Amino acid sequence: MAGFAMNKALISLARCLALPSAFLLASCGGGGNAENQGSLAGARIGAPFTLTDQNGRKVSWDSFKGKYRLVYFGYTYCPDVCPVDLQKMMQAYAKLEKEAPAQAAKLQPIFISVDPERDTPSVLKTYVAAFHPKLVGLTGTPDEIAKVTRDFVVIYGKEPAKDASEYLVAHSRTPYLFGSDGAPIALIPVDDPGTAEDEGSPATVLAAFKHWVK
Ligand code: NI
């Protein structure tokens, strides 16, 4: 698989950086079962948290107990990768609602900000609504976000900028799928801009949802 190539290609974008993920690389070496590509079975990702949603309410990891969870970390000012990934994933989710409503009802999409300074609940509210009404946006204090990113093995960091309010945030790009018990199941495919094929197309993401959500 093109883990390294993908990371290099994204770093060249110099905006929504994809930093190497041990889990992405680990999932490449498994070989064999293409059906279960991206499996995160047994990985140590995730932990209880309490954050604030787009309506200003406190939400914890256990608030989603009993549901599969698609968790994507990013930030609303991200100029390229985050909105593209979110659009494809939420298009796939909308298709799942039409084609397999029972499966869709079991799956909760969640966007967690790595830019808590600018991503206030009201900023998140407008942002998530643009993708899908079911998408939950979560933010918190810088300390809360530092902890949740550590627990979910997400790397992020502010890029130096001339204008203090115009900075970019480099972050890893790892759309995780968790099961109804909160354990990690799989990485949902995203596009590798270094290839012609769109690996993260809505059809591919839809197939992954159908494969993993039981
Ligand atoms: Ni981004």
Side-chain angles (χ1 to χ4, degrees), residues 15-17 72-83 85 111 114 127 169-173:
R15 294 223 153 94
C16 191
L17 302 189
Y72 188 84
F73 286 80
Y75 67 115
T76 69
Y77 289 80
C78 182
D80 38 39
V81 176
C82 285
D85 284 349
F111 174 74
V114 292
Y127 190 74
V169 182
H171 65 94
S172 51
R173 180 183 174 205

Side-chain angles (χ1 to χ4, degrees), residues 75-78 82-83 86 111 122-131:
Y75 67 115
T76 69
Y77 289 80
C78 182
C82 285
L86 281 172
F111 174 74
S122 63
V123 168
L124 276 180
K125 188 167 181 149
T126 311
Y127 190 74
V128 294
F131 293 101

Side-chain angles (χ1 to χ4, degrees), residues 106-145:
K106 290 181 190 171
L107 176 59
Q108 176 62 61
I110 302 168
F111 174 74
I112 303 181
S113 175
V114 292
D115 184 14
E117 288 173 46
R118 289 181 298 187
D119 284 344
T120 60
S122 63
V123 168
L124 276 180
K125 188 167 181 149
T126 311
Y127 190 74
V128 294
F131 293 101
H132 195 284
K134 292 265 175 69
L135 179 61
V136 166
L138 299 179
T139 189
T141 65
D143 283 350
E144 286 170 339
I145 295 300

Side-chain angles (χ1 to χ4, degrees), residues 54-93:
Q54 74 272 24
N55 297 308
R57 289 183 297 229
K58 292 287 176 199
V59 168
S60 73
W61 190 224
D62 275 352
S63 306
F64 306 107
K65 211 170 184 175
K67 288 216 172 184
Y68 286 78
R69 295 152 235 187
L70 172 67
V71 182
Y72 188 84
F73 286 80
Y75 67 115
T76 69
Y77 289 80
C78 182
D80 38 39
V81 176
C82 285
V84 171
D85 284 349
L86 281 172
Q87 190 178 28
K88 289 176 185 171
M89 288 189 287
M90 291 304 101
Q91 278 175 2
Y93 184 75

